[in-house]
Amino acid sequence: MALVVQKYGGTSVGTPDRIRNVARRVVDTVKAGHRVAVVVSAMSGETDALVALAHDIGGEHPEPREYDVLVATGEQKTIALLAMAIQQLGQPARSFTGAQMGMRTDTAHTRARIESIDHEVLLEVLDRGIVAVLAGFQGTDEAGNITTLGRGGSDTSAVAVAAALGADVCEIYTDVEGVFTTDPNLVAAARKLDRISYDEMIEMASLGAKVLQIRSVRFAMRYRVPLHVRSSFKLDEGTWVVPEEEMMEALVVSGVTYNRSEAKILVRGVQDVPGVAARLFTPLSNEGIVLDMIIQNLSRDGTTDVTFTVPRPDYARALEITRNTAAEMGAITVEADTEIAKVSIVGLGMKDHAGVASKMFQVLADEGINIQCISTSEIKVSVVIAEKYTELAVRALHAAFIEAGAAEPVPEA
Ligand code: ASP
Ligand code: MG
């Protein structure tokens, strides 16, 4: 008998019929002999609608405490409805808001961090054969104020509950069948991965694969909670996200990801002296703008060029700030480009293989795609290219590294 935490996203509970479908899955899991806690999101579209209302009345920056009181109501609806649907099937169930399950967070409204969970309250209910239906996304701070964890936060709620309960697995039910080698909408040959390591999943999530909230994977990794990402509409196994030691074979490249939500800023002719990078980037970080890639060219005649990427929503502000700093520093020009994409390959097996990056560059060269920036880590290589080549690049890389697969191994390091 296992203790299973299941998390259902907005699409999975988007209509009364879908809620009844979830109830059946929950009851089937109980009938298979397991104790089950279920974490749910708001019905699809619900949180967006609540956020829109908050802005309608509260303006551009609604008061954060009241914002949280409002947006947390989406999940309160689903826990009640799902508990009813489970009870209709003859299975005892009880709903819990964040406060009722002792989901304690810090006080950072709209992006709170989980501090603790009252696992005894939940275990007591589970041990009596009752299904616990828990509101994701919400908690309360020390003073009892309602807090929320940030958009997409119910994944993190579910993993935190699984960690607190010492669950055997945290199943994340969604509208896709698992984690794919790349976006199936772009590449027909994309296939579902059976297993992926936490590290690979974190890279894939931060590089643009949208299956799981990245914070939840970090949390799962820290507490070693096995995740199983699967479809709420099918019975097939999905993708297991597990510790690296449990990867039977590490693929050199397990995924190709892309991200079209960054912009590039290039500062030409900066004096190449100590303190330049700090001077250029401090005003940006003071504004809370997070840079992704940073590249500094070799200097010629005592000056250098610096290129960096920022999230597109921050681009206009970043450009203005950079223009000001660059002028103060006597730089020659500031150029910018929003039509870029970051394309990456990710794989644990890269650690033990040489030649992966150069093969990637060759594949892109063969397609006539120019590489503007490169960054690497132990398990990924990312390049910035013109946005219009995104699909071509992703398809070519998927074909070369994943479809060709073992047929064309990269030489061992
Ligand atoms: N309902 C919240 C949102 O839409 C939390 C979640 O779905 O994970 O962001
Ligand atoms: Mg969601």
Side-chain angles (χ1 to χ4, degrees):
M1 179 172 118
L3 201 166
V4 180
V5 173
Q6 300 186 331
K7 184 259 168 179
Y8 292 91
T11 323
S12 307
V13 292
T15 64
D17 277 336
R18 287 185 173 180
I19 291 175
R20 281 186 276 268
N21 171 57
V22 167
R24 276 190 294 275
R25 288 199 84 127
V26 170
V27 172
D28 285 346
T29 314
V30 175
K31 285 198 177 132
H34 307 307
R35 289 178 294 168
V36 188
V38 194
V39 176
V40 285
S41 293
M43 294 167 80
S44 54
E46 180 79 19
T47 309
D48 287 340
L50 292 167
V51 170
L53 267 176
H55 289 298
D56 187 349
I57 303 275
E60 201 186 334
H61 301 289
E63 204 275 310
R65 182 184 182 280
E66 305 312 330
Y67 174 96
D68 277 349
V69 171
L70 178 68
V71 298
T73 59
E75 274 71 13
Q76 190 167 330
K77 266 165 86 170
T78 23
I79 53 171
L81 293 171
L82 180 58
M84 288 176 199
I86 296 171
Q87 291 158 2
Q88 293 273 320
L89 297 174
Q91 164 63 44
R94 180 184 299 175
S95 67
F96 292 81
T97 63
Q100 289 169 331
M101 70 170 117
M103 173 72 79
R104 169 70 75 77
T105 72
D106 64 13
T107 58
H109 282 294
T110 77
R111 52 188 167 81
R113 306 220 147 238
I114 298 171
E115 288 176 345
S116 60
I117 296 175
D118 193 346
H119 58 276
E120 277 165 21
V121 172
L122 295 179
L123 282 175
E124 196 256 329
V125 164
L126 296 176
D127 288 343
R128 291 194 343 229
I130 299 168
V131 171
V133 184
L134 316 174
F137 184 51
Q138 57 171 267
T140 52
D141 71 7
E142 211 181 343
N145 297 300
I146 295 175
T147 53
T148 62
L149 308 180
R151 296 304 305 270
S154 341
D155 287 346
T156 303
S157 307
V159 175
V161 166
L165 294 177
D168 297 284
V169 58
C170 181
E171 297 181 332
I172 307 275
Y173 285 91
T174 170
D175 49 356
V176 294
E177 284 155 57
V179 181
F180 278 71
T181 50
T182 193
D183 181 355
N185 298 316
L186 226 59
V187 183
R191 59 178 180 77
K192 193 191 75 200
L193 291 158
D194 294 331
R195 271 168 180 262
I196 187 172
S197 69
Y198 294 125
D199 281 314
E200 287 171 300
M201 191 62 235
I202 288 168
E203 286 290 359
M204 303 232 318
S206 67
L207 296 170
K210 295 181 197 70
V211 234
L212 274 176
Q213 201 209 27
I214 184 163
R215 238 169 100 192
S216 68
V217 190
R218 290 214 187 94
F219 216 105
M221 179 162 159
R222 173 145 25 106
Y223 295 99
R224 298 179 70 85
V225 176
L227 299 177
H228 185 185
V229 182
R230 56 194 306 191
S231 164
S232 49
F233 307 111
K234 294 196 171 155
L235 290 169
D236 310 349
E237 290 254 312
T239 303
W240 285 83
V241 190
V242 296
E244 189 174 329
E245 313 83 76
E246 287 172 32
M247 295 297 293
M248 328 245 173
E249 83 177 314
L251 297 173
V252 175
V253 173
S254 39
V256 180
T257 63
Y258 65 95
N259 177 344
R260 290 192 266 219
S261 59
E262 291 187 10
K264 189 181 77 174
I265 296 180
L266 164 61
V267 186
R268 277 196 204 283
V270 204
Q271 293 298 317
D272 196 6
V273 291
V276 165
R279 184 111 182 259
L280 199 55
F281 296 131
T282 307
L284 293 167
S285 66
N286 287 346
E287 281 289 303
I289 297 173
V290 181
L291 308 186
D292 181 20
M293 290 191 191
I294 303 176
I295 284 119
Q296 179 176 336
N297 291 355
L298 277 181
S299 67
R300 245 180 300 111
D301 316 322
T303 67
T304 185
D305 302 337
V306 178
T307 307
F308 55 92
T309 62
V310 294
R312 259 185 228 180
D314 296 331
Y315 158 73
R317 243 173 358 123
L319 184 58
E320 195 193 315
I321 295 170
T322 307
R323 286 221 161 101
N324 291 337
T325 340
E328 285 164 28
M329 294 167 68
I332 299 170
T333 56
V334 178
E335 292 160 31
D337 188 354
T338 52
E339 269 143 48
I340 57 155
K342 182 167 76 172
V343 174
S344 312
I345 53 175
V346 178
L348 214 50
M350 254 179 232
K351 285 185 188 176
D352 310 315
H353 285 82
V356 179
S358 52
K359 176 172 167 183
M360 178 185 197
F361 306 150
Q362 190 58 52
V363 169
L364 296 173
D366 291 346
E367 299 294 337
I369 300 171
N370 185 41
I371 299 171
Q372 305 177 8
C373 305
I374 300 167
S375 78
T376 63
S377 80
E378 240 189 340
I379 63 164
K380 71 130 205 261
V381 185
S382 299
V383 296
V384 169
I385 59 170
E387 182 176 3
K388 64 181 176 201
Y389 295 128
T390 313
E391 300 191 2
L392 180 61
V394 170
R395 287 201 185 109
L397 292 169
H398 193 269
F401 283 105
I402 291 173
E403 289 155 58
E408 202 196 329
V410 227
E412 289 273 340

